[in-house]
Amino acid sequence: MPRVVHFEIHATDPDRLVAFYTDLFGWAFQKWEGPMDYWLIQTGPPEERGIDGGLVRRRGAAPAYGQAVNAYACTVDVPSAQDALNRAVGLGGSVAVPLMPIPGVGWLGYATDPDGNLFGVMQRDPAAA
């Protein structure tokens, strides 16, 4: 069965988003030496569950704020979803969907980065109700 193996973040200002995701999640970015502006993203050690991705300079205008999401939304496993949302806001992002319980699974919320890209944060908590 096909699985998602890579994600990509589109950025109007790549340096700003590299700083945002480095500060928020501790991700490591490495500039690709190819013919276009592209950064490889390491989200964790290879032996841990998860995928790595890339960051590319946005081509065209960013989506308008408040419009329906027309993309896959990636969700990041975090120790505290509320802390991650608060930190995202402190780093220039915004809360898109406030924290909500997913019964038996955990706490889920959605934020946008400073460029308007949507992402989720999930705190595992089987007691969430």
Side-chain angles (χ1 to χ4, degrees):
M1 158 179 339
R3 296 193 64 181
V4 176
V5 296
H6 185 81
F7 68 88
E8 202 165 74
I9 300 168
H10 291 242
T12 303
D13 181 350
D15 291 334
R16 179 173 67 167
L17 291 193
V18 166
F20 177 84
Y21 287 104
T22 299
D23 289 347
L24 182 60
F25 297 129
W27 291 350
F29 288 77
Q30 180 181 350
K31 181 87 164 64
W32 183 53
E33 297 301 324
M36 60 186 273
D37 280 346
Y38 200 86
W39 291 257
L40 300 171
I41 306 170
Q42 182 181 15
T43 63
E47 64 274 6
E48 287 184 11
R49 188 177 133 206
I51 62 173
D52 293 330
L55 186 139
V56 64
R57 186 173 300 279
R58 185 181 302 282
R59 294 182 181 102
Y65 182 76
Q67 84 179 42
V69 175
N70 185 21
Y72 289 119
C74 295
T75 300
V76 180
D77 182 29
V78 295
S80 168
Q82 188 61 63
D83 287 351
L85 290 177
N86 292 344
R87 199 153 157 67
V89 169
L91 292 168
S94 62
V95 173
V97 178
L99 200 61
M100 62 185 145
I102 307 297
V105 177
W107 297 92
L108 174 67
Y110 290 90
T112 58
D113 66 22
D115 215 21
N117 295 301
L118 181 77
F119 62 92
V121 291
M122 169 65 79
Q123 173 187 337
R124 294 183 209 175
D125 179 3

